[in-house]
Amino acid sequence: MPSATTGATRDPGSVQLRLLGHDGVHLADDESYRLPPQTAELLAYLELREGRIARRPAIIRSLWPNKAESLGRRRLSRLLWRVNQAAPRELVIAEGETVRISDALASDWQQAHDALAHPDWPHTPSLTNDLELLQLPLLVDVHSPWAEEHQSTWDQRRFYALREAGEILLSSERLREAVEIAKLLVTWEPLDEPSHLLLIRAHMKLGASARSVELYQEFRRRLRKELGVEPAFDLVHAAAMAG
């Protein structure tokens, strides 16, 4: 399983907030700090906000939608105090009605976001490190309506980004890496034809024509059974070339 730490870059004085991966939300400095659920959710909420800042009413509505605002304000004040008491340094700054993340807090989410926003992505030297981040789910231990939208958007973005990167790996003759990405994609979306085409073409380039034909036949049977359709022309053509 890829590690969210791989390829992370940060200032020596910063603390890393990990939002990606199967370990859940946690802090990483010289060692990892497990976070109480409400602390983790607050930090994640702020980190995913535009500008890493939010007003108190918005935080209360998102984190405790069924609580009265007066109760939510007291709970938020206590939580803000606990966050900075438990952390290795001040991570959240409250200024009147606004609450923001400290500049001392970096995150793997920001690294992944910056990678996808890079104008040359995926033609970047950091592609291998970026791919490790893109294979990681977001906020696996936060189960709130506000988080679900972020999780869904992240999954959609990273799926198509991984497929694009797989094509780059294939054209760059990084064939085994392309196969691994394609395997992930077809497991994730078993009926996605471009992902199956990527997997078949990668095996063909590796010289495994027989395996390419097997993969095509398996996918064709799945399409017929589940959707009652035949594969697209590109897939049929690829299988014919392999056979």
Side-chain angles (χ1 to χ4, degrees):
M1 183 62 61
S3 167
T5 63
T6 304
T9 57
R10 58 188 176 96
D11 296 333
S14 69
V15 178
Q16 183 81 202
L17 176 64
R18 304 279 166 73
L19 304 184
L20 303 174
H22 298 276
D23 293 335
V25 180
H26 63 282
L27 296 177
D29 194 358
D30 295 326
E31 58 182 289
S32 290
Y33 297 86
R34 301 306 306 177
L35 295 168
Q38 287 195 344
T39 300
E41 186 172 3
L42 175 63
L43 288 176
Y45 176 81
L46 292 171
E47 178 64 23
L48 293 172
R49 292 276 296 190
E50 183 71 29
R52 308 171 89 202
I53 190 170
R55 294 181 62 81
R56 288 176 187 259
I59 298 172
I60 294 165
R61 286 195 300 271
S62 296
L63 270 59
W64 309 296
N66 299 320
K67 300 295 183 184
E69 183 171 340
S70 58
L71 177 59
R73 282 182 174 274
R74 291 194 296 273
R75 180 176 290 186
L76 178 58
S77 293
R78 290 194 300 269
L79 183 56
L80 289 170
W81 181 84
R82 289 203 302 268
V83 167
N84 288 328
Q85 286 293 309
R89 65 203 70 183
E90 186 179 46
L91 300 180
V92 179
I93 299 171
E95 299 169 324
E97 282 291 276
T98 64
V99 180
R100 63 180 175 88
I101 292 283
S102 166
D103 291 339
L105 190 63
S107 76
D108 56 356
W109 162 255
Q110 192 60 52
Q111 184 188 354
H113 182 272
D114 290 347
L116 293 185
H118 194 285
D120 293 330
W121 200 90
H123 299 275
T124 58
S126 62
L127 179 58
T128 298
N129 293 333
D130 296 342
L131 290 176
E132 292 192 12
L133 287 173
L134 293 175
Q135 292 179 63
L136 300 174
L138 175 67
L139 303 181
V140 295
D141 54 352
V142 179
H143 308 288
S144 298
W146 73 265
E148 291 174 0
E149 182 178 351
H150 287 288
Q151 291 161 341
S152 176
T153 300
W154 170 242
D155 283 345
Q156 185 176 49
R157 287 187 68 197
R158 69 192 183 100
F159 180 85
Y160 290 110
L162 285 167
R163 201 169 69 187
E164 181 184 8
E167 294 290 347
I168 296 300
L169 292 170
L170 184 64
S171 63
S172 303
E173 300 297 322
R174 295 166 62 175
L175 303 180
R176 297 202 178 277
E177 292 172 272
V179 166
E180 290 306 310
I181 293 298
K183 283 181 177 178
L184 171 67
L185 294 174
V186 300
T187 300
W188 190 346
E189 291 289 350
L191 299 178
D192 185 67
E193 293 200 28
S195 298
H196 282 274
L197 180 59
L198 173 64
L199 184 60
I200 289 169
R201 290 171 58 211
H203 276 90
M204 286 175 61
K205 281 199 169 188
L206 280 170
S209 297
R211 180 57 180 154
S212 295
V213 174
E214 288 177 4
L215 289 167
Y216 169 77
Q217 295 294 349
E218 289 171 4
F219 181 57
R220 184 185 185 197
R221 286 193 292 270
R222 182 186 288 270
L223 278 181
R224 283 177 166 179
K225 179 179 179 181
E226 299 191 22
L227 299 180
V229 299
E230 292 289 330
F233 173 78
D234 287 346
L235 270 168
V236 175
H237 178 69
M241 293 290 290

